[in-house]
Amino acid sequence: MRDVAERAGVSVQTVSNLVNARFHLMTDGTRARVEQAMTELVYHPNVAARSLRSDRAETLAFLLLDEGRRFLADPMTDLVIGGIGDVVRDRGYALLIQPARPDAPRPELLKPLLEHRADGAFLFLSGDRGLRRWYARRVAEFEFPFVLFEHIDDPRIPCVSTDDRAGARLLTEHLVSRGHSRIAFVAASVPWPMIEQRLLGYRDALAAANLTPIELFRGDWTPAAGAEHARVLMSSDEPPTVIMCSNDLLAVGAVRGLREVGLNVPADVAVTGFDDFDFAELVVPALTTVRVPGYELGRVAAELLVDQLEGRVATRRRIVLPVELRVRESG
Amino acid sequence: MRDVAERAGVSVQTVSNLVNARFHLMTDGTRARVEQAMTELVYHPNVAARSLRSDRAETLAFLLLDEGRRFLADPMTDLVIGGIGDVVRDRGYALLIQPARPDAPRPELLKPLLEHRADGAFLFLSGDRGLRRWYARRVAEFEFPFVLFEHIDDPRIPCVSTDDRAGARLLTEHLVSRGHSRIAFVAASVPWPMIEQRLLGYRDALAAANLTPIELFRGDWTPAAGAEHARVLMSSDEPPTVIMCSNDLLAVGAVRGLREVGLNVPADVAVTGFDDFDFAELVVPALTTVRVPGYELGRVAAELLVDQLEGRVATRRRIVLPVELRVRESG
DNA sequence: TTGTAAGCGTTATCAG
DNA sequence: CTGATAACGCTTACAA
């Protein structure tokens, strides 16, 4: 910066003003000279120095608690990060992704915040509810701006979510209306807020129809796990007539698992998914599922956080996005 | 840091030494006292100050040239980032993702480097070959450590790639051996290094078998584009007997497009993919494709870059990973 | 409108 | 082994 100032024959102060778009503090001639000097020297401000001084990193952190070794393999995570990424880029921030395992309190998850590497955070957490709360409380205690991806009661906490409970209820009601009475719900073993809501919606609808829940929690979110679920359920004494999978990945696996034991979907057993990932309508049979707007969810969360950071008063700090039933061939 | 020093009754220097694991510069007693003070004050070093002083951000940048608005939606990009992410985390670096459009020279792509936000970069570039070279040259000129995801001749440039050309040749030969003589190759309109190699492999095999290429470049990498390709090709005067799609996403779309006009795969027309994404063996019919080790590619690149950064002499600076033919049901 | 000088938290140098 | 001090590049009072 000193070099630029010297070359343009002005003080560093003026260069700084220009970099920070305070154009009213200089003549047009000065501005032009400084700009020329900047281009000639290929000058770029050093962000470390800037954020040391201003205490703002202009970076937001996506803090992810996920047991998978390859978190980017999860389509819902991708959608959410995609939505966040588009917004924060447009608003001039960088995005830092920090994953950790959901099995125990992990200090590294909050490191980007504590080390002043990020100005605020998105909390996309799985695992035990108590542990999730612990992280949220800690971030709140340190007074870091953040947005939580989970609907919780505390009105002081900004949170965004999708209406998974309503979606699951609709889907279950649809299945009941088709005459099904033995409806199984399957999910991976690690809890996720979205999945908890889907389970509640399922139970709501079953209770209303006076049916008995059949619930199975095990494995991860891979098609292989879905196939295994299907095998386990179909070899029980009273096998279900529908396998309601808590996401599309499990569903596509369940379909395959059923086919391998000679069962046809939906003729012999129905299968439903959840999320409506791109492939859901491409597989055979096309999946009946619930569309969850993950990309939008990310966008909304990012807007909420950036507004919060820049001191704008958010109109709403607790947002729930609607979901939509998609009836196709599988159930 | 000053607070920690005061509380422990030592100088800031000693605290700094401890943070930087220079334990031999203090007594065990001092060390224990300082560590206690750090925990009590929940102290975390400020990375901005550290990198200002040391001129190292301990961050690596993934510089991506992709026309898609939602770059994370691409499975190959995800795999590569996943591999990189695992390695850089283990080696103590953060990863910054910076995307830009491949249509023109985009100064923002190199900003993380120029602003000293990152110490080195991964160049995952698409678009015109000349433009790709321009970026690589610029990064090299500034002497930033980097790794290029593309095989190029210049021996000074560290690069990693997969043997797409050989894979495409094998796949084409397989199709020829099944008696096909009208084999079409389809791809999106924006060039990618990997795709260029696949095209070359396809042409190699066709030339060897004395067959005429049928090539179609248009649209993007979505299943919808694949369906459109299929429609265009099948309505031509001499429709092909195989549609060789340059990735699995197009292939799954092509299968669907064919079904919609009443054609059966592989009975009426064969379809092949490329990459072997997770869904390739789950769709119906299961895709014949070529397995490209994207995750491994990312890992290898990250190891190369970190070694380079930390002054270790790389054993090899130009790495090509093997691919594998996967013959399934579709072709 | 422009210039001067202090200070952000850390690390490196050098003296005790 | 420990402590004082300067410097990294920038922003922001405040002075000219």
PDB file of all heavy atoms in Angstrom, chain A residues 168-186:
ATOM      1  N   ALA A 168     -44.140 -35.038   6.249  1.00  0.00           N
ATOM      2  CA  ALA A 168     -44.226 -36.454   6.593  1.00  0.00           C
ATOM      3  C   ALA A 168     -45.673 -36.832   6.887  1.00  0.00           C
ATOM      4  O   ALA A 168     -46.127 -37.930   6.543  1.00  0.00           O
ATOM      5  CB  ALA A 168     -43.340 -36.755   7.795  1.00  0.00           C
ATOM      6  N   ARG A 169     -46.394 -35.893   7.517  1.00  0.00           N
ATOM      7  CA  ARG A 169     -47.799 -36.179   7.807  1.00  0.00           C
ATOM      8  C   ARG A 169     -48.575 -36.353   6.503  1.00  0.00           C
ATOM      9  O   ARG A 169     -49.280 -37.352   6.301  1.00  0.00           O
ATOM     10  CB  ARG A 169     -48.392 -35.046   8.654  1.00  0.00           C
ATOM     11  CG  ARG A 169     -49.703 -35.440   9.277  1.00  0.00           C
ATOM     12  CD  ARG A 169     -50.199 -34.576  10.432  1.00  0.00           C
ATOM     13  NE  ARG A 169     -49.355 -33.475  10.825  1.00  0.00           N
ATOM     14  CZ  ARG A 169     -49.422 -32.238  10.311  1.00  0.00           C
ATOM     15  NH1 ARG A 169     -50.294 -31.980   9.339  1.00  0.00           N
ATOM     16  NH2 ARG A 169     -48.632 -31.283  10.764  1.00  0.00           N
ATOM     17  N   LEU A 170     -48.387 -35.422   5.575  1.00  0.00           N
ATOM     18  CA  LEU A 170     -49.058 -35.502   4.276  1.00  0.00           C
ATOM     19  C   LEU A 170     -48.756 -36.805   3.564  1.00  0.00           C
ATOM     20  O   LEU A 170     -49.653 -37.476   3.033  1.00  0.00           O
ATOM     21  CB  LEU A 170     -48.579 -34.362   3.377  1.00  0.00           C
ATOM     22  CG  LEU A 170     -49.294 -33.034   3.509  1.00  0.00           C
ATOM     23  CD1 LEU A 170     -48.613 -31.995   2.635  1.00  0.00           C
ATOM     24  CD2 LEU A 170     -50.761 -33.218   3.101  1.00  0.00           C
ATOM     25  N   LEU A 171     -47.478 -37.139   3.560  1.00  0.00           N
ATOM     26  CA  LEU A 171     -47.053 -38.343   2.857  1.00  0.00           C
ATOM     27  C   LEU A 171     -47.705 -39.577   3.484  1.00  0.00           C
ATOM     28  O   LEU A 171     -48.221 -40.457   2.777  1.00  0.00           O
ATOM     29  CB  LEU A 171     -45.526 -38.452   2.917  1.00  0.00           C
ATOM     30  CG  LEU A 171     -44.890 -39.692   2.307  1.00  0.00           C
ATOM     31  CD1 LEU A 171     -45.277 -39.860   0.843  1.00  0.00           C
ATOM     32  CD2 LEU A 171     -43.358 -39.612   2.429  1.00  0.00           C
ATOM     33  N   THR A 172     -47.687 -39.633   4.801  1.00  0.00           N
ATOM     34  CA  THR A 172     -48.274 -40.780   5.486  1.00  0.00           C
ATOM     35  C   THR A 172     -49.773 -40.857   5.215  1.00  0.00           C
ATOM     36  O   THR A 172     -50.323 -41.936   4.953  1.00  0.00           O
ATOM     37  CB  THR A 172     -48.013 -40.681   7.003  1.00  0.00           C
ATOM     38  OG1 THR A 172     -46.652 -40.331   7.221  1.00  0.00           O
ATOM     39  CG2 THR A 172     -48.305 -42.013   7.674  1.00  0.00           C
ATOM     40  N   GLU A 173     -50.438 -39.707   5.259  1.00  0.00           N
ATOM     41  CA  GLU A 173     -51.872 -39.685   4.986  1.00  0.00           C
ATOM     42  C   GLU A 173     -52.166 -40.190   3.574  1.00  0.00           C
ATOM     43  O   GLU A 173     -53.124 -40.942   3.354  1.00  0.00           O
ATOM     44  CB  GLU A 173     -52.425 -38.266   5.164  1.00  0.00           C
ATOM     45  CG  GLU A 173     -52.559 -37.876   6.641  1.00  0.00           C
ATOM     46  CD  GLU A 173     -52.751 -36.361   6.837  1.00  0.00           C
ATOM     47  OE1 GLU A 173     -52.802 -35.638   5.822  1.00  0.00           O
ATOM     48  OE2 GLU A 173     -52.844 -35.932   7.999  1.00  0.00           O
ATOM     49  N   HIS A 174     -51.301 -39.782   2.652  1.00  0.00           N
ATOM     50  CA  HIS A 174     -51.460 -40.269   1.285  1.00  0.00           C
ATOM     51  C   HIS A 174     -51.393 -41.801   1.236  1.00  0.00           C
ATOM     52  O   HIS A 174     -52.216 -42.459   0.575  1.00  0.00           O
ATOM     53  CB  HIS A 174     -50.376 -39.655   0.393  1.00  0.00           C
ATOM     54  CG  HIS A 174     -50.062 -40.428  -0.847  1.00  0.00           C
ATOM     55  ND1 HIS A 174     -50.855 -40.391  -1.967  1.00  0.00           N
ATOM     56  CD2 HIS A 174     -49.047 -41.286  -1.129  1.00  0.00           C
ATOM     57  CE1 HIS A 174     -50.351 -41.183  -2.885  1.00  0.00           C
ATOM     58  NE2 HIS A 174     -49.253 -41.737  -2.419  1.00  0.00           N
ATOM     59  N   LEU A 175     -50.438 -42.346   1.976  1.00  0.00           N
ATOM     60  CA  LEU A 175     -50.285 -43.807   1.977  1.00  0.00           C
ATOM     61  C   LEU A 175     -51.490 -44.470   2.624  1.00  0.00           C
ATOM     62  O   LEU A 175     -51.996 -45.493   2.141  1.00  0.00           O
ATOM     63  CB  LEU A 175     -48.994 -44.201   2.705  1.00  0.00           C
ATOM     64  CG  LEU A 175     -47.713 -43.750   1.994  1.00  0.00           C
ATOM     65  CD1 LEU A 175     -46.492 -43.952   2.880  1.00  0.00           C
ATOM     66  CD2 LEU A 175     -47.537 -44.505   0.671  1.00  0.00           C
ATOM     67  N   VAL A 176     -51.964 -43.896   3.720  1.00  0.00           N
ATOM     68  CA  VAL A 176     -53.148 -44.440   4.390  1.00  0.00           C
ATOM     69  C   VAL A 176     -54.337 -44.405   3.437  1.00  0.00           C
ATOM     70  O   VAL A 176     -55.083 -45.380   3.311  1.00  0.00           O
ATOM     71  CB  VAL A 176     -53.458 -43.636   5.680  1.00  0.00           C
ATOM     72  CG1 VAL A 176     -54.816 -44.048   6.254  1.00  0.00           C
ATOM     73  CG2 VAL A 176     -52.354 -43.841   6.709  1.00  0.00           C
ATOM     74  N   SER A 177     -54.443 -43.303   2.716  1.00  0.00           N
ATOM     75  CA  SER A 177     -55.588 -43.159   1.812  1.00  0.00           C
ATOM     76  C   SER A 177     -55.530 -44.174   0.675  1.00  0.00           C
ATOM     77  O   SER A 177     -56.543 -44.471   0.043  1.00  0.00           O
ATOM     78  CB  SER A 177     -55.646 -41.746   1.241  1.00  0.00           C
ATOM     79  OG  SER A 177     -54.686 -41.612   0.203  1.00  0.00           O
ATOM     80  N   ARG A 178     -54.340 -44.699   0.423  1.00  0.00           N
ATOM     81  CA  ARG A 178     -54.248 -45.737  -0.602  1.00  0.00           C
ATOM     82  C   ARG A 178     -54.514 -47.128  -0.023  1.00  0.00           C
ATOM     83  O   ARG A 178     -54.290 -48.137  -0.681  1.00  0.00           O
ATOM     84  CB  ARG A 178     -52.834 -45.738  -1.198  1.00  0.00           C
ATOM     85  CG  ARG A 178     -52.537 -44.505  -2.041  1.00  0.00           C
ATOM     86  CD  ARG A 178     -52.095 -44.917  -3.428  1.00  0.00           C
ATOM     87  NE  ARG A 178     -52.060 -43.782  -4.323  1.00  0.00           N
ATOM     88  CZ  ARG A 178     -51.153 -43.638  -5.297  1.00  0.00           C
ATOM     89  NH1 ARG A 178     -50.213 -44.561  -5.472  1.00  0.00           N
ATOM     90  NH2 ARG A 178     -51.206 -42.593  -6.091  1.00  0.00           N
ATOM     91  N   GLY A 179     -54.902 -47.140   1.245  1.00  0.00           N
ATOM     92  CA  GLY A 179     -55.293 -48.407   1.847  1.00  0.00           C
ATOM     93  C   GLY A 179     -54.193 -49.118   2.612  1.00  0.00           C
ATOM     94  O   GLY A 179     -54.371 -50.234   3.096  1.00  0.00           O
ATOM     95  N   HIS A 180     -53.025 -48.507   2.741  1.00  0.00           N
ATOM     96  CA  HIS A 180     -51.959 -49.160   3.496  1.00  0.00           C
ATOM     97  C   HIS A 180     -52.227 -49.073   4.992  1.00  0.00           C
ATOM     98  O   HIS A 180     -52.699 -48.055   5.487  1.00  0.00           O
ATOM     99  CB  HIS A 180     -50.616 -48.488   3.210  1.00  0.00           C
ATOM    100  CG  HIS A 180     -50.114 -48.754   1.819  1.00  0.00           C
ATOM    101  ND1 HIS A 180     -49.631 -49.971   1.420  1.00  0.00           N
ATOM    102  CD2 HIS A 180     -50.029 -47.948   0.731  1.00  0.00           C
ATOM    103  CE1 HIS A 180     -49.257 -49.909   0.151  1.00  0.00           C
ATOM    104  NE2 HIS A 180     -49.500 -48.682  -0.292  1.00  0.00           N
ATOM    105  N   SER A 181     -51.902 -50.149   5.695  1.00  0.00           N
ATOM    106  CA  SER A 181     -52.073 -50.090   7.148  1.00  0.00           C
ATOM    107  C   SER A 181     -50.791 -50.507   7.871  1.00  0.00           C
ATOM    108  O   SER A 181     -50.638 -50.262   9.046  1.00  0.00           O
ATOM    109  CB  SER A 181     -53.232 -50.990   7.567  1.00  0.00           C
ATOM    110  OG  SER A 181     -52.954 -52.319   7.175  1.00  0.00           O
ATOM    111  N   ARG A 182     -49.905 -51.155   7.160  1.00  0.00           N
ATOM    112  CA  ARG A 182     -48.620 -51.501   7.785  1.00  0.00           C
ATOM    113  C   ARG A 182     -47.531 -50.665   7.114  1.00  0.00           C
ATOM    114  O   ARG A 182     -46.961 -51.058   6.105  1.00  0.00           O
ATOM    115  CB  ARG A 182     -48.331 -52.999   7.664  1.00  0.00           C
ATOM    116  CG  ARG A 182     -49.371 -53.841   8.423  1.00  0.00           C
ATOM    117  CD  ARG A 182     -48.929 -55.279   8.629  1.00  0.00           C
ATOM    118  NE  ARG A 182     -47.596 -55.404   9.224  1.00  0.00           N
ATOM    119  CZ  ARG A 182     -47.327 -55.218  10.513  1.00  0.00           C
ATOM    120  NH1 ARG A 182     -48.286 -54.898  11.358  1.00  0.00           N
ATOM    121  NH2 ARG A 182     -46.094 -55.353  10.952  1.00  0.00           N
ATOM    122  N   ILE A 183     -47.267 -49.493   7.732  1.00  0.00           N
ATOM    123  CA  ILE A 183     -46.349 -48.520   7.158  1.00  0.00           C
ATOM    124  C   ILE A 183     -45.099 -48.416   8.026  1.00  0.00           C
ATOM    125  O   ILE A 183     -45.192 -48.030   9.192  1.00  0.00           O
ATOM    126  CB  ILE A 183     -47.027 -47.130   7.073  1.00  0.00           C
ATOM    127  CG1 ILE A 183     -48.349 -47.244   6.293  1.00  0.00           C
ATOM    128  CG2 ILE A 183     -46.093 -46.109   6.434  1.00  0.00           C
ATOM    129  CD1 ILE A 183     -49.177 -45.971   6.295  1.00  0.00           C
ATOM    130  N   ALA A 184     -43.958 -48.786   7.484  1.00  0.00           N
ATOM    131  CA  ALA A 184     -42.716 -48.746   8.273  1.00  0.00           C
ATOM    132  C   ALA A 184     -41.938 -47.468   7.976  1.00  0.00           C
ATOM    133  O   ALA A 184     -41.893 -46.999   6.832  1.00  0.00           O
ATOM    134  CB  ALA A 184     -41.855 -49.962   7.941  1.00  0.00           C
ATOM    135  N   PHE A 185     -41.314 -46.917   9.001  1.00  0.00           N
ATOM    136  CA  PHE A 185     -40.483 -45.714   8.860  1.00  0.00           C
ATOM    137  C   PHE A 185     -39.035 -46.113   9.131  1.00  0.00           C
ATOM    138  O   PHE A 185     -38.737 -46.685  10.176  1.00  0.00           O
ATOM    139  CB  PHE A 185     -40.940 -44.668   9.881  1.00  0.00           C
ATOM    140  CG  PHE A 185     -40.164 -43.373   9.832  1.00  0.00           C
ATOM    141  CD1 PHE A 185     -40.630 -42.293   9.086  1.00  0.00           C
ATOM    142  CD2 PHE A 185     -38.981 -43.220  10.551  1.00  0.00           C
ATOM    143  CE1 PHE A 185     -39.933 -41.094   9.052  1.00  0.00           C
ATOM    144  CE2 PHE A 185     -38.269 -42.023  10.521  1.00  0.00           C
ATOM    145  CZ  PHE A 185     -38.748 -40.958   9.762  1.00  0.00           C
ATOM    146  N   VAL A 186     -38.133 -45.818   8.197  1.00  0.00           N
ATOM    147  CA  VAL A 186     -36.734 -46.192   8.420  1.00  0.00           C
ATOM    148  C   VAL A 186     -35.822 -44.974   8.292  1.00  0.00           C
ATOM    149  O   VAL A 186     -36.072 -44.065   7.508  1.00  0.00           O
ATOM    150  CB  VAL A 186     -36.255 -47.299   7.451  1.00  0.00           C
ATOM    151  CG1 VAL A 186     -37.184 -48.496   7.501  1.00  0.00           C
ATOM    152  CG2 VAL A 186     -36.134 -46.777   6.035  1.00  0.00           C
TER     153      VAL A 186
END
